Amino acid sequence: MQIEVILNGKEVVLDVKEDELLADTLRAHRLHSVRKGCNTTCCGLCTVWVDGRPVLSCATLSVRVQHKQITTMEGVSEDAEEFARILVSEGADQCGFCNPGFIMTVLAMKNELHNPTEEEIIHYLTGNLCRCTGYMGQLRAVKKYLGVA
Ligand code: FES
Ligand code: FES
């Protein structure tokens, strides 16, 4: 079947199967920032935005996003690069496999929360796992990016 969506600002028609997951649809569309890790809603690697809110694309049927706005990291590359530079400066970039999903969550947080506390930041990021960094560098980077360091 076909679905119409606005993908990174452009109207597109996508061919999808009824049981196809959004992560697979987006990767088939060459949006390789969308990563898959656990496939069980535990790691956050597959985070994209649907109508501006972060969702787990490994747990979202593509047919459910008909007529919605889908944003991947490719669609917010300038903001993503700005935050990625801060991540690197804080030593919070190691294997980098988790970065796209993590960055999409942080950019969504910047849009949603104003002057969040450290507890609110940690709570917002609960669904994004990183096996490499120990989180403290990431937390410093997020606070710097949000201007609450
Ligand atoms: S791959 Fe979607 S949460 Fe892990
Ligand atoms: S940097 Fe390696 S999992 Fe996050």
Side-chain angles (χ1 to χ4, degrees):
M1 64 180 294
Q2 293 190 322
I3 59 170
E4 295 173 26
V5 297
I6 298 175
L7 181 54
N8 291 332
K10 291 184 187 152
E11 288 182 27
V12 297
V13 177
L14 301 173
D15 283 311
V16 300
K17 299 186 189 113
E18 288 178 3
D19 61 350
E20 188 169 316
L21 295 169
L22 182 58
D24 295 322
T25 302
L26 294 172
R27 287 186 60 82
H29 208 70
R30 300 175 190 268
L31 294 165
H32 293 137
S33 74
V34 182
R35 306 271 167 82
K36 291 172 67 184
C38 66
N39 281 338
T40 56
T41 74
C42 294
C43 72
L45 261 66
C46 63
T47 304
V48 301
W49 297 352
V50 175
D51 288 344
R53 301 297 298 272
V55 302
L56 299 174
S57 61
C58 77
T60 303
L61 287 172
S62 299
V63 292
R64 298 288 302 273
V65 301
Q66 167 87 301
H67 300 312
K68 294 186 184 293
Q69 296 197 38
I70 314 302
T71 308
T72 69
M73 202 174 73
E74 288 85 351
V76 288
S77 55
E78 282 186 21
D79 291 339
E81 283 172 23
E82 179 189 352
F83 177 55
R85 278 193 292 275
I86 299 174
L87 270 178
V88 170
S89 74
E90 293 296 337
D93 182 58
Q94 292 184 26
C95 80
F97 197 64
C98 65
N99 281 0
F102 177 63
I103 288 171
M104 291 306 286
T105 303
V106 171
L107 299 189
M109 175 165 42
K110 186 171 188 183
N111 291 334
E112 192 174 336
L113 304 183
H114 299 287
N115 294 320
T117 64
E118 187 169 302
E119 288 71 26
E120 287 171 325
I121 292 171
I122 291 169
H123 181 72
Y124 202 99
L125 294 171
T126 300
N128 288 84
L129 302 185
C130 172
R131 295 172 186 209
C132 309
T133 63
Y135 299 110
M136 295 315 294
Q138 288 182 332
L139 184 58
R140 285 195 306 273
V142 172
K143 289 168 82 173
K144 192 183 274 190
Y145 179 64
L146 298 179
V148 296

